[in-house]
Amino acid sequence: STIRKNGPYIVKGGVPLVRKTQVVSERGEPLTWLKNGEIPTEAGDYHLCRCGKSGQKPFCDGTHRQIGFDGTETASEFAAETRKFRYSKGVRIIVEKDQSLCMKSGYCAFSDARLDQLLAASGDTKTRALVMAMVERCPAGALTYRIEPNGPEIEPDLPQQVAATTEITSAGPIEGPLWVTGGIPIERSDGEPFTPRNRVTLCNCGQSCNKPLCDGTHRAVAEREARQRRGAGGR
C-alpha cells in the first residue's frame, strides 16, 4: 500500500477489502469485530479515500483535489522501542503501549476494570488470559505483550486485508478508520516505508493530527455533527 501526496491510499496486489463492525456489550464496551462481508473491487489495485469527503467511500472519487486536502503525514517514525511505555504490574505477562499509535478504540477497558487494574490481578490465569485478549483486540496495535522480558512480542494471527470499519457509539453507528492487518507494507508519500506492523489503523476522515494514522478524531467529529443535527431539529 502506498500513500499519494495529499491524495488516496493506493492498495496493490489484490488485497481483500472487507467491512467490519464493532460488537459491543450492553454497556457499549467494545468487545470484538464482526465481518460483514467483502467489498467488491474492479481490479487488483484500488484507491481508498483519505480526505473523508468522497461520495463513493471507502473508495476515492477525486474530491481531495477539489477541496485542497492537506494530507501531510506527521506520524512519528522514531524507533518503536523508544516510544513504548511498559506497564509495571503484570504477572507472567509484560504489556507495553506505543501511545503514538493509539486511536482510543476502547478495547483496553471495561466500565468496571481498566487494563492496568486487570494487570494487577494477572497472577490469576483467567485474568491474564483476559488481558491477552484485550491487547490482541487493539486494532491500532498500540498495545503489545510478551511472556518473557526478552521474549518475542506475541501477535494475533490476522489475515492480510483492509477493513472499512463501523464503530458503535452512544450516538449510533459511525464510520471508523481503515484497519490494515497482516503486516501489509505501507509506503509514505515521500517513498519511505513505515515500520511494518501486524495491525494498524489509518485515518479516512481527513482530520487526524497523526496522519496517516487514526487518532480517534473521527469520534469527536461525529459527536459534533450529531449535536448540530439535534440543534437544527429543535428549531
Side-chain angles (χ1 to χ4, degrees):
S1 175
T2 60
I3 301 170
R4 180 169 293 171
K5 185 175 181 179
N6 299 325
Y9 302 107
I10 304 172
V11 184
K12 300 179 179 180
V15 177
L17 179 62
V18 304
R19 294 192 187 277
K20 288 190 174 182
T21 301
Q22 275 185 341
V23 176
V24 302
S25 74
E26 66 279 7
R27 297 176 179 176
E29 303 152 319
L31 299 176
T32 188
W33 294 91
L34 172 67
K35 181 179 174 180
N36 304 115
E38 295 199 6
I39 302 173
T41 55
E42 294 183 359
D45 301 347
Y46 50 90
H47 296 189
L48 298 176
C49 175
R50 193 157 69 98
C51 72
K53 302 299 182 182
S54 170
Q56 299 177 10
K57 293 186 78 173
F59 300 106
C60 171
D61 67 356
T63 299
H64 60 276
R65 292 189 292 269
Q66 301 170 20
I67 64 175
F69 172 60
D70 180 1
T72 302
E73 297 138 55
T74 57
S76 172
E77 271 303 289
F78 290 109
E81 294 306 317
T82 67
R83 303 192 305 258
K84 287 187 176 181
F85 161 80
R86 177 175 291 188
Y87 290 87
S88 60
K89 298 179 180 179
V91 179
R92 298 187 181 88
I93 185 171
I94 298 159
V95 176
E96 295 176 315
K97 183 174 185 178
D98 184 343
Q99 186 64 38
S100 72
L101 300 177
C102 182
M103 45 82 76
K104 306 175 183 65
S105 60
Y107 285 87
C108 57
F110 297 117
S111 59
D112 58 354
R114 300 187 310 272
L115 176 59
D116 58 342
Q117 294 172 317
L118 292 169
L119 275 168
S122 58
D124 173 70
T125 302
K126 293 189 292 293
T127 303
R128 190 160 64 250
L130 176 58
V131 168
M132 292 176 179
M134 292 174 76
V135 170
E136 291 184 355
R137 287 172 187 151
C138 170
L143 292 170
T144 54
Y145 74 93
R146 63 185 81 225
I147 302 301
E148 301 293 339
N150 296 318
E153 289 182 345
I154 299 174
E155 279 284 326
D157 185 13
L158 297 173
Q160 280 204 329
Q161 66 181 18
V162 179
T165 65
T166 297
E167 297 180 347
I168 307 301
T169 72
S170 57
I174 66 170
E175 185 177 43
L178 296 170
W179 186 20
V180 181
T181 60
I184 296 173
I186 299 174
E187 184 180 287
R188 298 168 60 100
S189 61
D190 61 7
E192 293 297 315
F194 276 101
T195 303
R197 298 186 179 96
N198 184 42
R199 47 201 163 121
V200 65
T201 46
L202 299 179
C203 173
N204 62 341
C205 74
Q207 301 190 57
S208 171
C209 295
N210 196 34
K211 293 184 182 72
L213 305 180
C214 172
D215 66 357
T217 297
H218 61 280
R219 296 189 203 96
V221 172
E223 290 173 5
R224 183 173 64 247
E225 292 176 348
R227 287 196 300 271
Q228 292 172 345
R229 288 194 298 270
R230 288 195 297 268
R235 292 173 187 168

